[in-house]
Amino acid sequence: MRVAASILLTFLALSVAADDWNTFNHPVGNFVFKWRFPTADSIEVQYSLPGAGMAAIGFGSSMTNADMIIANANGDGSWTVGDYYSLKHEVPKTDLSLGGTHDLLESTVTSVQGTTTVTFRRKLVTSDKFDNEIVVGTIGLIYAWADTPLSFHGKNANIVSINLKPAQSSVMSLSTLLASDAKGSFEAPTGGFKLEWSFPSADEIAITYRINGKGWAGLGFGTGMQSADMVIAIANADGTVSVKDYFSSAYKPPQEDTTLGGTNDLLDVSGHLDGAALVVSFRRKLTTGDQFDFPILKETTRVLYAWGDGPFGFHGKDNFNLVNVDLSQVVAPSAVAINLPTAVPADNSKTLMDIKSLLQQQNELLKTLVLMAAKRQ
């Protein structure tokens, strides 16, 4: 009995640690906003902006009555994070100067290659009248940045709505692990187009696309060729396929990001010919930091694609299409069904049979987890 109970407890305790940050991205200012709830009454926030002198966020829908957190560069490489309040459209003041209190906890700042990342923690509800209550739900958030400390941001500002979802569990069960491997798919008859995607981690997307082109096949994010972040696969004479990171700024052949002064941000690229179609796979960060890469958002996204049977060049009017794809729509694979014995009969031989069956199921589960982990490497 004790052996059986020990096996059951060990088996049920099988879990995988997970990153419990929630993330919101917006292309204006390459804004990244992360949050989690370390306790029931507090929130931890991390945000990134391009400001070399100031990076600010505010809880509110405008500069009027906005509860703000502002990081300012000190000029010696260090930064100061302050608790501010904006009464109207003017330079915000610290809560302390208004007669309130400084309620930020454990604040830090890092600035790397022009991107400033601020992390802080505070209570959802403080006792300071200059702190707005942070609710678990949809909130208004403003953000701004500048290259000089606490200065007018000009056009470097934006207002967004964010759904502050409850924090994820710090432990991921098998069903949650399977959900993290959820995949989405989209098909269009034009060009035999098929697109599949998944999110192997919180900040990455994995994409596979198939297009009926024997010479080359391109996939792009954008509303048209005037401004499109593209991935283009070109079939080589030796049977190999080259897959590279491109950008299109006009109705002319796109150029590689590296040629334009950017970076190649594609990971784990592969491509092959499957009959008369090119099949291409790659991974990349949702937000790369390259000016020639658009942030990829988990929402309805404008996707363009084009192809050709000869050398890479103009696709013509018939070998091109624009579609809308909802990248938030992913489906998890079915969870592994595990039947545990509900009672231990008096017959010890039957108990041993149950234990043996349970161990076999656990072994199969471990194999599944190992295979899934290997796919992520």
Side-chain angles (χ1 to χ4, degrees):
M1 290 288 291
R2 289 180 180 176
V3 173
S6 176
I7 293 172
L8 284 170
L9 289 173
T10 301
F11 179 71
L12 293 173
L14 186 63
S15 59
V16 180
D19 182 4
D20 56 355
W21 284 104
N22 292 282
T23 304
F24 172 89
N25 299 277
H26 198 281
V28 175
N30 287 328
F31 180 56
V32 180
F33 182 85
K34 296 183 178 182
W35 73 96
R36 57 187 173 187
F37 301 93
T39 62
D41 65 346
S42 68
I43 186 171
E44 186 175 7
V45 170
Q46 183 179 96
Y47 65 92
S48 298
L49 284 165
M54 180 191 77
I57 64 168
F59 296 99
S61 298
S62 72
M63 287 292 289
T64 301
N65 298 326
D67 176 14
M68 304 196 68
I69 293 86
I70 303 177
N72 290 297
N74 296 322
D76 58 359
S78 65
W79 287 72
T80 300
V81 183
D83 190 358
Y84 287 76
Y85 195 80
S86 174
L87 295 168
K88 53 185 178 180
H89 287 273
E90 61 182 14
V91 177
K93 299 179 181 179
T94 65
D95 289 12
L96 288 171
S97 69
L98 294 170
T101 55
H102 180 92
D103 296 287
L104 302 184
L105 308 170
E106 302 175 5
S107 59
T108 61
V109 182
T110 60
S111 186
V112 180
Q113 295 181 342
T115 298
T116 299
T117 301
V118 182
T119 305
F120 68 90
R121 191 165 57 85
R122 61 153 272 193
K123 295 288 187 182
L124 296 174
V125 180
T126 71
S127 57
D128 184 0
K129 67 178 181 179
F130 299 107
D131 289 334
N132 295 342
E133 178 182 352
I134 299 175
V135 298
V136 179
T138 301
I139 65 165
L141 190 80
I142 61 176
Y143 62 92
W145 67 97
D147 290 331
T148 54
L150 198 59
S151 58
F152 179 57
H153 49 71
K155 295 182 179 180
N156 295 343
N158 197 26
I159 303 173
V160 294
S161 293
I162 299 178
N163 182 10
L164 293 183
K165 299 176 294 185
Q168 302 168 357
S169 170
S170 59
V171 174
M172 193 190 323
S173 64
L174 174 62
S175 60
T176 306
L177 178 61
L178 290 170
S180 71
D181 273 7
K183 292 184 178 180
S185 64
F186 176 91
E187 295 185 37
T190 303
F193 179 63
K194 183 174 183 179
L195 177 71
E196 294 182 341
W197 68 93
S198 64
F199 300 98
S201 65
D203 63 348
E204 280 189 341
I205 188 170
I207 288 177
T208 296
Y209 67 90
R210 176 190 177 95
I211 304 177
N212 289 341
K214 294 186 291 184
W216 61 274
L219 176 77
F221 299 97
T223 56
M225 292 296 290
Q226 303 98 317
S227 181
D229 174 14
M230 304 195 69
V231 176
I232 299 178
I234 299 174
N236 301 314
D238 60 1
T240 61
V241 176
S242 300
V243 183
K244 295 182 180 179
D245 194 355
Y246 284 76
F247 189 82
S248 174
S249 59
Y251 287 101
K252 61 182 181 181
Q255 293 180 282
E256 291 182 41
D257 287 14
T258 52
T259 302
L260 295 169
T263 54
N264 180 9
D265 297 286
L266 304 183
L267 307 170
D268 295 341
V269 296
S270 65
H272 68 275
L273 274 168
D274 182 13
L278 273 166
V279 180
V280 182
S281 297
F282 64 91
R283 280 190 306 114
R284 60 154 272 193
K285 295 287 187 182
L286 296 175
T287 302
T288 67
D290 183 1
Q291 63 177 319
F292 300 106
D293 290 334
F294 294 156
I296 297 177
L297 307 178
K298 297 179 183 180
E299 60 183 32
T300 299
T301 302
R302 194 72 163 159
V303 175
L304 56 93
Y305 61 95
W307 67 96
D309 289 330
F312 178 49
F314 180 56
H315 48 72
K317 65 177 182 179
D318 295 326
N319 292 5
F320 175 84
N321 199 21
L322 273 167
V323 293
N324 290 318
V325 180
D326 188 352
L327 295 179
S328 70
Q329 296 298 310
V330 292
V331 179
S334 300
V336 179
I338 300 176
N339 299 314
L340 300 177
T342 57
V344 179
D347 183 355
N348 287 335
S349 63
K350 182 64 169 61
T351 302
L352 291 175
M353 290 290 291
D354 286 337
I355 294 173
K356 181 178 179 181
S357 174
L358 182 60
L359 288 172
Q360 289 174 339
Q361 293 180 61
Q362 182 177 2
N363 186 49
E364 291 302 313
L365 175 59
L366 289 172
K367 287 181 180 178
T368 301
L369 292 174
V370 169
L371 288 172
M372 291 175 68
K375 286 169 57 182
R376 292 164 181 259
Q377 299 299 319

